Amino acid sequence: MRVVQFVVVLWLVATFTFALIRIIPGDPIDILLPTQKSNLQAKAKVKEVKEDLGLDKSIFTQYVNYLGDVVTGDLGKDYGSGRPVTDILKKALPVSLQLMLYAQILALAIAIPLGVFTAYRAGTRADRALNATAFGFLAMPNFVLGLLLSFIIGAELKWLPSVGYTPGWLDPIFDSSRTGNFGDHIQSMILPSLTLAVGQIAVYMRLLRSDMIATLQENFITMARSKGLSDRRILWRHALRPSSITLLTVAGLNVGTLIGGAVVVEVIFNMGGMGKAIVIELNEKQYVALQSLILVMAALFVLVNFLVDVLYAIVDPRIRHARAAH
Amino acid sequence: MTDARFAAEYEGPLLEVSDVKTYFETDRGLVRSVDGVSFTLERGKTIGIVGESGCGKTVLSRSIMGLLPRRGLVRQGSIRFEGNELIHLTPKEMRAYWGSQLAMIFQDPMTSLNPVMKIGKQITESIREHLDVDKDFAYELAENLLRSVRIPEPARRLREYPHQLSGGMRQRVCIAVALAAGPKLLFADEPTTALDVTVQAQVLDLMAQQQSERFMAMVLITHDLGVVAGRADEIAVMYAGRIVEKAPTSVLFRDMKMPYTQALLSSIPKLADESHVRLATIPGRPPDLVNPPKGCKFAPRCAYVQDRCKEEEPPLTPSTSPGHEFRCWFPVGTPEGEAALERNKQKGLRATEALVAADTVET
Ligand SMILES: Nc1ncnc2c1ncn2[C@@H]1O[C@H](COP(=O)(O)OP(=O)(O)O)[C@@H](O)[C@H]1O
Ligand SMILES: [Mg+2]
């Protein structure tokens, strides 16, 4: 059932990106191959593009062929450099995936204890101070923060690399020709992940705080207190899980924001991720490659939210049993 | 001596509550939810606290337990448990009592268990908080506890979540949780109000049985005099945050003095009555606890009311039977009381006659 939903969403995204390149005014050939029209080599290229995109066939045939290509994993190529999109992805996707994963983990690792603490101490000076600080960071654009971190901690203090990327554990899985160095990888990822994470912290913290405050009014919390359990146990074992459904939902949806943020962060820290790849293809007006990259990001977004759906059932047994009953 | 472990030899009553007041600061003003309540409870005994909804029963029990949220809370008086004063203790200090000395069963078993935690975990965490036992042994104890509250297939239930159990079963689990660390005093706040009529008696009997087996004292709270009738040693009737009548159970039912108690009694749903409708509900509403009436708080709704009742609040006065106290100027069954009731009936009759007369004049 959920798999059907997943496929339908991806189909819609694919259709949308297909339509996009056909809607852009002008001949796709002129756009994709702007400078080389005269010589023989270029003629061959024009022919290749025409055949690849099926431009001489009906729009319907083009569409069916395109969907067939996507399903079989043929995502087209950059007609300027001649690189297939799958090659670009092999290198760029693990960079972005790791960046977003670390940023998400970092944001949650900071926001969850803060959310729990501010809910526990709601209305106190500590609560207000932490909220104000978190919102201060929320207001700071991530390119400003990224440049600051890169300049101060990287270039000036030299505690961490100011720019650049070292492959980690995921890169060799995508591209066997790459080797990772975990220590260097983590060092190269700290500042970019932090830059990307900071904006999320305030959002996650506030969400958890308000749900947690509501949970702490529940009868089962009074019951847990009447059992003589410690506050720590009540907060972490009793209150956190029932308060985390909204957080989980938003963390999933927020992958969209993270994708956007990753583009900026990858450019600032000069990391060869999806963001960087998208910027390159956009500059070169390589719309075929671009649409495939966007399709992959969209698939990623849908996939993450699909996983969030699975997580609901793990967090709340009532959801699990209700689903099993259907 | 605040450490409960060293107080085991204390000779006096288990619980002495004197002049406990519990107010809430709100935007509307000070809500006087409990306004000077006193009673004592001996080991192994049961006191029933009875009153309409909103009269302060829940606030009283949570105030004694120290479980109320502290913001805007005003709490005065004395609460002595085995001779130790509890009213000034912080929640951290109260943890020495919670679970192991004082325990509580709440009104709504649907919401008082954690929905995302297995039953077994919710019982064993309480056991392991108070007893130095390993996990396996705690689960064995939990299984025995579930068996003792007559839950079928206890081993399987331990692995289930609250939503997989019926209301009656959940309340049994709550009882098991409350009993887990062997408390000396159990508060049961309307433990059967949310349950089906058919399981109410089962759960109450079960509690009574556990109580006598464990020699545990109990504060049994209910809005239904019928619930405490055969089960409490003593009954305290509450109205508008104070005790208005208190007596050993048999005395109270034989010789109730407060018109409010009488009104409560006549509002008991009779099980034999097929429709389960209340025979009579008390007319009017309980008073506003921010601005209560000047005299007797029940005066605006009382069939016996006289001018004096509206001016002067009656003190808690002893009756002829030992342990029986009540707050009333014109008590039920006394010559003054009956005369007052008669006067009101005449007045009422005259008022009706006047209305009828006015009607006839108009038409
Ligand atoms: N936290 C609170 N703030 C303000 N008023 C409260 C609070 N808790 C209870 N009350 C008031 O105290 C009165 C007694 O409530 P409660 O003890 O729950 O009644 P009962 O349990 O007898 O039905 C009610 O009028 C209620 O509105
Ligand atoms: Mg109540």
Side-chain angles (χ1 to χ4, degrees):
Chain A
M1 187 54 226
R2 264 148 220 290
V3 178
V4 174
Q5 269 179 20
F6 182 58
V7 171
V8 167
V9 172
L10 284 186
W11 168 68
L12 286 175
V13 174
T15 305
F16 182 71
T17 50
F18 170 85
L20 201 66
I21 185 172
R22 268 88 188 165
I23 287 167
I24 294 170
D27 184 349
I29 304 228
D30 289 340
I31 296 168
L32 292 170
L33 303 170
T35 51
Q36 336 155 309
K37 250 193 164 173
S38 51
N39 62 37
L40 213 70
Q41 207 190 355
K43 285 238 171 71
K45 266 203 166 170
V46 169
K47 192 161 167 271
E48 187 196 350
V49 173
K50 265 192 175 154
E51 271 171 16
D52 274 5
L53 301 185
L55 289 175
D56 45 358
K57 303 201 181 77
S58 75
I59 191 96
F60 180 72
T61 317
Q62 286 180 36
Y63 179 60
V64 172
N65 287 345
Y66 169 71
L67 287 186
D69 286 349
V70 169
V71 169
T72 54
D74 177 0
L75 296 174
K77 60 158 78 167
D78 176 325
Y79 290 99
S81 66
R83 282 180 75 198
V85 171
T86 39
D87 276 9
I88 300 176
L89 282 175
K90 271 186 193 169
K91 232 177 138 247
L93 196 54
V95 178
S96 300
L97 286 179
Q98 288 170 111
L99 175 62
M100 289 191 276
L101 182 69
Y102 301 155
Q104 191 76 291
I105 291 174
L106 199 61
L108 290 171
I110 297 171
I112 290 175
L114 287 179
V116 169
F117 178 78
T118 51
Y120 178 53
R121 290 264 175 259
T124 62
R125 210 174 301 159
D127 171 35
R128 282 196 293 271
L130 280 167
N131 271 308
T133 314
F135 269 87
F137 279 114
L138 181 66
M140 185 185 284
N142 54 15
F143 70 89
V144 174
L145 183 72
L147 289 172
L148 272 178
L149 287 176
S150 171
F151 180 72
I152 298 173
I153 297 183
E156 284 298 313
L157 297 171
K158 298 197 183 351
W159 289 348
L160 290 164
S162 61
V163 287
Y165 172 75
T166 310
W169 53 276
L170 195 59
D171 307 77
I173 297 173
F174 275 73
D175 183 352
S176 51
S177 70
R178 305 195 91 183
T179 48
N181 175 332
F182 196 67
D184 289 353
H185 169 68
I186 290 297
Q187 286 199 6
S188 74
M189 293 301 274
I190 291 177
L191 295 183
S193 312
L194 193 62
T195 306
L196 193 51
V198 160
Q200 325 302 319
I201 292 172
V203 177
Y204 293 166
M205 177 181 136
R206 284 296 289 217
L207 272 177
L208 183 59
R209 178 183 177 276
S210 67
D211 280 11
M212 191 92 178
I213 287 174
T215 303
L216 289 175
Q217 318 271 326
E218 296 272 354
N219 284 337
F220 67 82
I221 296 296
T222 312
M223 167 103 163
R225 292 180 66 217
S226 80
K227 286 153 83 171
L229 306 179
S230 66
D231 286 1
R232 180 189 295 251
R233 193 177 175 91
I234 288 170
L235 290 172
W236 291 96
R237 291 302 195 83
H238 281 267
L240 179 58
R241 213 141 74 107
S243 315
S244 54
I245 293 282
T246 320
L247 178 64
L248 195 62
T249 309
V250 172
L253 294 174
N254 216 21
V255 168
T257 315
L258 283 180
I259 290 172
V263 174
V264 176
V265 171
E266 284 169 11
V267 172
I268 292 173
F269 288 93
N270 194 25
M271 306 160 74
M274 293 294 286
K276 200 73 186 297
I278 286 173
V279 169
I280 290 171
E281 302 308 328
L282 197 62
N283 283 339
E284 301 289 319
K285 298 202 170 66
Q286 286 301 320
Y287 292 116
V288 173
L290 196 58
Q291 73 174 5
S292 292
L293 293 179
I294 291 170
L295 181 64
V296 168
M297 294 302 240
L300 182 69
F301 179 76
V302 176
L303 190 67
V304 167
N305 283 285
F306 184 67
L307 289 177
V308 164
D309 234 36
V310 176
L311 279 179
Y312 284 156
I314 294 174
V315 170
D316 194 332
R318 288 167 296 183
I319 296 174
R320 191 183 323 152
H321 292 130
R323 280 186 191 163
H326 278 297
Chain B
M1 281 228 303
T2 47
D3 192 331
R5 278 171 300 176
F6 299 119
E9 303 302 317
Y10 181 71
E11 292 291 321
L14 183 69
L15 179 71
E16 296 160 272
V17 174
S18 32
D19 202 23
V20 164
K21 295 177 178 163
T22 308
Y23 304 156
F24 299 97
E25 287 163 359
T26 68
D27 299 338
R28 286 182 54 233
L30 204 58
V31 181
R32 297 162 194 269
S33 298
V34 173
D35 210 2
V37 166
S38 308
F39 66 87
T40 58
L41 182 59
E42 302 287 342
R43 282 159 212 281
K45 299 286 189 200
T46 300
I47 185 167
I49 295 185
V50 189
E52 283 172 294
S53 144
C55 70
K57 306 179 298 289
T58 296
V59 172
L60 173 65
S61 62
R62 293 192 186 192
S63 186
I64 297 172
M65 278 280 274
L67 276 174
L68 290 167
R70 289 153 72 82
R71 186 170 313 162
L73 181 71
V74 181
R75 215 159 137 249
Q76 292 163 0
S78 161
I79 298 159
R80 296 171 80 80
F81 180 79
E82 294 187 320
N84 300 312
E85 182 56 66
L86 301 187
I87 198 148
H88 306 297
L89 298 191
T90 62
K92 239 197 195 109
E93 292 166 323
M94 279 307 294
R95 277 186 58 211
Y97 293 89
W98 286 338
S100 57
Q101 309 289 321
L102 311 170
M104 193 165 218
I105 301 168
F106 297 86
Q107 174 168 351
D108 187 0
M110 299 300 172
T111 58
S112 50
L113 291 169
N114 189 328
V116 303
M117 197 184 268
K118 286 182 181 159
I119 304 290
K121 183 93 211 154
Q122 300 196 47
I123 302 176
T124 55
E125 69 171 356
S126 201
I127 295 174
R128 298 195 66 197
E129 183 72 41
H130 301 287
L131 306 174
D132 186 20
V133 296
D134 68 15
K135 205 171 144 191
D136 289 345
F137 191 59
Y139 269 90
E140 245 173 72
L141 289 177
E143 196 179 325
N144 286 333
L145 266 172
L146 287 190
R147 198 169 287 123
S148 71
V149 294
R150 299 204 211 100
I151 289 181
E153 297 183 81
R156 202 189 84 203
R157 294 303 183 191
L158 287 176
R159 281 178 268 113
E160 291 187 336
Y161 290 94
H163 69 269
Q164 293 169 287
L165 273 60
S166 70
M169 284 299 147
R170 281 190 225 186
Q171 197 58 303
R172 283 163 202 256
V173 170
C174 291
I175 294 172
V177 170
L179 296 178
K184 293 176 185 148
L185 173 56
L186 179 66
F187 290 85
D189 186 358
E190 311 226 21
T192 58
T193 306
L195 302 182
D196 280 355
V197 185
T198 46
V199 292
Q200 283 185 4
Q202 290 170 18
V203 169
L204 288 167
D205 290 344
L206 176 76
M207 284 172 53
Q209 182 206 343
Q210 289 294 319
Q211 185 195 5
S212 63
E213 276 176 20
R214 292 160 184 267
F215 197 59
M216 185 173 67
M218 182 152 79
V219 176
L220 179 57
I221 292 167
T222 173
H223 62 270
D224 185 350
L225 259 177
V227 163
V228 284
R231 295 189 164 89
D233 300 291
E234 192 182 22
I235 294 176
V237 178
M238 268 185 91
Y239 190 74
R242 56 202 77 201
I243 290 179
V244 292
E245 183 159 20
K246 189 173 66 170
T249 306
S250 55
V251 174
L252 188 87
F253 281 100
R254 180 162 25 88
D255 187 24
M256 55 185 60
K257 288 279 188 280
M258 261 299 284
Y260 177 61
T261 312
Q262 194 184 42
L264 266 186
L265 186 66
S266 58
S267 71
I268 295 181
K270 291 259 160 60
L271 273 181
D273 181 3
E274 300 252 317
S275 59
H276 292 303
V277 272
R278 286 167 190 268
L279 296 182
T281 44
I282 308 173
R285 315 212 100 251
D288 178 18
L289 297 174
V290 178
N291 299 302
K294 191 159 127 217
C296 173
K297 308 298 171 249
F298 187 58
R301 305 167 70 190
C302 186
Y304 293 70
V305 64
Q306 301 296 306
D307 289 342
R308 185 181 186 190
C309 305
K310 296 174 189 159
E311 293 303 320
E312 268 179 88
E313 174 153 34
L316 210 50
T317 33
S319 103
T320 45
S321 336
H324 186 186
E325 297 172 304
F326 59 91
R327 271 178 204 275
C328 188
W329 297 126
F330 301 93
V332 180
T334 60
E336 314 92 85
E338 295 316 311
L341 186 62
E342 193 54 37
R343 268 198 298 281
N344 287 351
K345 273 190 184 148
Q346 292 301 328
K347 241 192 279 171
L349 217 57
R350 246 176 286 140
T352 329
E353 275 166 5
L355 272 177
V356 173
D359 260 7
T360 32
V361 169
E362 266 173 40
T363 48

